[in-house]
Amino acid sequence: MNNKNKTVVRSMDILNLFIENTELTFQEIIDLSGIPKSSVYRMLRSLEEMEFLEKGSDSKYRLGLLFLKFGQLVLGRIDLRKVAYPFMHELHNDVKEAINLIVKDGDEAIYIEKIDTKQKVRLYTSIGRKSPLYAGACSRAILSFLPDSEVETYLESINPKSFANGTITEKDKIYETIKQARIDGYTISHSELENHTAAIAAPIFNHNGEVIAGISIAGIEANYQDENIEIYAKKVKKVAEDISMQLGYSK
């Protein structure tokens, strides 16, 4: 283990002490961690600077506000899954296709829930898997409804790469799909993340009218043609709207 990795592991050891202790003195941290005094001092300084820890006027250390921010993010995702799951389950029983739920994670989207028990063919998607915001209907459902400034900044920063036969890698074409999605209220993809698969997705909004997630119907590409596109689009838009309303969104 190199020195940098060792420092990270030891820093986590210190942070883990606060799972069972709301506040600790410098000496208590040394005694409980078994880490040399000089190393504890350096790591505490770094953890303070990064707002992982804060030192009170009583010289005791406590978890910093950064953990509150992280906690709110995690709680928001948990609440979203809890709210969305019944709607996803009903949609899955209706269309018998895979239903995916994703949230934005930096410049990527991460799948946080999936229901595919009636889907005979397993797809690319799985809980915890990530994809870039430009690739795939579900990811692009989030990208398409971000503020213009965020969309422009994102498109300027990326160097799109291909994942399957249908991945859109030309930035002008990505932008065209975004403009179309804003008109239609949904996104569609064909063989973008995995060959011979397709998806139709819609955005989910919070009480502030901000896009926070995307939900998609996904399956074998042959099923996403002609009148089925309109049928699936209508259904996924309705479910996305219902979930959004449960989260406090109003048009």
Side-chain angles (χ1 to χ4, degrees):
M1 184 183 297
N2 62 41
N3 289 335
K4 287 186 178 179
N5 288 343
K6 189 174 182 180
T7 299
V8 171
V9 171
R10 283 183 163 184
S11 295
M12 286 305 303
D13 288 340
I14 289 176
L15 291 174
N16 284 332
L17 295 177
F18 291 88
I19 294 175
E20 297 182 358
N21 303 276
T22 56
E23 53 186 31
L24 291 167
T25 65
F26 179 52
Q27 189 58 50
E28 286 172 335
I29 293 171
I30 294 170
D31 294 340
L32 290 170
S33 68
I35 300 172
K37 181 177 180 178
S38 58
S39 297
V40 169
Y41 177 77
R42 288 195 302 272
M43 284 185 278
L44 288 176
R45 288 287 299 275
S46 296
L47 291 170
E48 271 191 277
E49 289 177 7
M50 293 185 290
E51 298 183 346
F52 282 107
L53 291 178
E54 59 181 29
K55 186 178 181 181
S57 57
D58 55 2
S59 296
K60 292 183 178 180
Y61 291 88
R62 301 170 182 82
L63 290 179
L65 292 178
L66 191 60
F67 278 99
L68 178 60
K69 296 176 184 176
F70 286 151
Q72 288 173 334
L73 287 172
V74 173
L75 182 61
R77 291 180 181 182
I78 292 172
D79 288 345
L80 172 61
R81 289 176 67 181
K82 185 177 180 180
V83 169
Y85 192 85
F87 294 99
M88 295 175 65
H89 192 266
E90 185 177 348
L91 181 60
H92 178 59
N93 286 336
D94 180 15
V95 299
K96 309 296 190 295
E97 297 283 279
I99 310 299
N100 300 297
L101 180 69
I102 65 164
V103 294
K104 186 174 181 291
D105 186 29
D107 284 346
E108 297 179 300
I110 183 169
Y111 291 82
I112 64 169
E113 189 57 88
K114 176 177 184 175
I115 302 177
D116 64 348
T117 53
K118 298 181 187 298
Q119 168 64 263
K120 296 179 181 179
V121 180
R122 291 296 176 262
L123 305 177
Y124 163 93
T125 56
S126 61
I127 295 175
R129 193 160 191 175
K130 293 184 177 182
S131 63
L133 291 175
Y134 66 85
C138 210
S139 303
R140 209 160 49 247
I142 292 179
L143 175 63
S144 298
F145 292 88
L146 289 173
D148 289 343
S149 58
E150 289 189 41
V151 172
E152 290 171 9
T153 299
Y154 172 75
L155 290 179
E156 287 173 3
S157 69
I158 62 171
N159 183 23
K161 66 176 183 178
S162 181
F163 296 90
N165 292 338
T167 309
I168 304 171
T169 56
E170 297 86 356
K171 292 186 181 181
D172 58 336
K173 290 186 179 179
I174 295 173
Y175 193 66
E176 286 301 317
T177 65
I178 290 171
K179 289 196 293 185
Q180 190 62 47
R182 291 179 175 182
I183 295 170
D184 298 334
Y186 70 90
T187 52
I188 185 168
S189 63
H190 291 282
S191 293
E192 289 192 26
L193 293 172
E194 184 179 11
N195 288 334
H196 313 301
T197 66
I200 295 176
I204 294 171
F205 301 94
N206 66 10
H207 63 286
N208 290 322
E210 302 162 333
V211 61
I212 59 165
I215 184 170
S216 69
I217 301 172
I220 300 305
E221 192 168 22
N223 295 334
Y224 292 72
Q225 312 291 334
D226 305 321
E227 68 273 6
N228 271 359
I229 293 176
E230 184 177 344
I231 292 170
Y232 287 160
K234 184 177 180 180
K235 290 179 183 293
V236 78
K237 284 170 64 177
K238 177 64 167 62
V239 168
E241 183 177 322
D242 289 343
I243 295 171
S244 297
M245 298 288 278
Q246 287 290 313
L247 297 172
Y249 173 71
S250 60
K251 289 184 178 179

